[in-house]
Amino acid sequence: KNQVEQSPQSLIILEGKNCTLQCNYTVSPFSNLRWYKQDTGRGPVSLTIMTFSENTKSNGRYTATLDADTKQSSLHITASQLSDSASYICVVIPVTATGGFKTIFGAGTRLFVKA
Amino acid sequence: ETGVTQTPRHLVMGMTNKKSLKCEQHLGHNAMYWYKQSAKKPLELMFVYNFKEQTENNSVPSRFSPECPNSSHLFLHLHTLQPEDSALYLCASSLRTSETYEQYFGPGTRLTVT
């Protein structure tokens, strides 16, 4: 079982509507949690980075929230546009005992925005 | 674009071939990474380099051999691959390997092993 689970796997919404993507994680302790957008055939692009002590972070129409008690994060997209069609990936960066760098990726939510 | 370029963008190779993937970053970063993205699976971190020194190797088979001649260039040498190695290989860079620094990804190389 992956330590970072995302839901739903895929989502279809109409242009102009809002949507919320979920990320549940079991990684502990962790340094920060990130959301990325990945267009088809492209590399991921960072949307938000939140440290374990932050509750919310916005980037334009994207707002990420973090609840460290329930180990849940969400990404809310407001007034969706056709260009929002992409995969959205939740990533948790754990604190490692050895000081090494690790990343734990979720499988992503595939969002389709239709006109 | 993100400032990280990868070549080639697409590669088809047989199981007995030897090929190399190239990554170059123009951001002045000191850390570079190789990731593997298989269909419908999460990204997997393969290798991490910090100031040209390899700091992470996540149990990657020896048929994948990384090389980092300087902080701006990263290679992934491939030999005797298996069909299950077909995937999108992504390169990324960041200022340091500390978990607080943002990573910038290249567009990836789509590899098909026949």
Side-chain angles (χ1 to χ4, degrees), chain B residues 89-109:
Chain B
Y89 288 85
L90 290 161
C91 172
S93 73
S94 63
L95 187 61
R96 303 278 191 277
T97 56
S98 167
E99 59 269 10
T100 58
Y101 291 103
E102 184 172 344
Q103 289 185 307
Y104 294 81
F105 285 83
T109 294

Side-chain angles (χ1 to χ4, degrees), chain B residues 28-46:
Chain B
H29 290 166
N30 298 296
M32 297 188 78
Y33 313 78
W34 279 118
Y35 287 89
K36 176 183 179 183
Q37 187 174 32
S38 303
K40 300 186 179 179
K41 291 177 67 176
L43 271 80
E44 302 168 58
L45 180 62
M46 299 174 71

Side-chain angles (χ1 to χ4, degrees), chain A residues 2 31-32 34 36 38 41-47 49 89 93-95 98-107, chain B residues 1-2 9 33 35 37 40-45 48 56 58 88 90 97-103 105-108:
Chain A
N2 196 12
S31 170
N32 59 80
R34 308 176 180 191
Y36 285 89
Q38 185 175 20
R42 310 285 291 273
V45 175
S46 178
L47 294 176
I49 301 176
I89 304 172
I93 313 297
V95 175
T98 58
F101 180 82
K102 301 289 183 186
T103 55
I104 303 176
F105 283 76
Chain B
E1 297 303 326
T2 62
R9 294 294 309 276
Y33 313 78
Y35 287 89
Q37 187 174 32
K40 300 186 179 179
K41 291 177 67 176
L43 271 80
E44 302 168 58
L45 180 62
V48 180
E56 297 284 342
N58 286 317
L88 181 68
L90 290 161
T97 56
S98 167
E99 59 269 10
T100 58
Y101 291 103
E102 184 172 344
Q103 289 185 307
F105 285 83

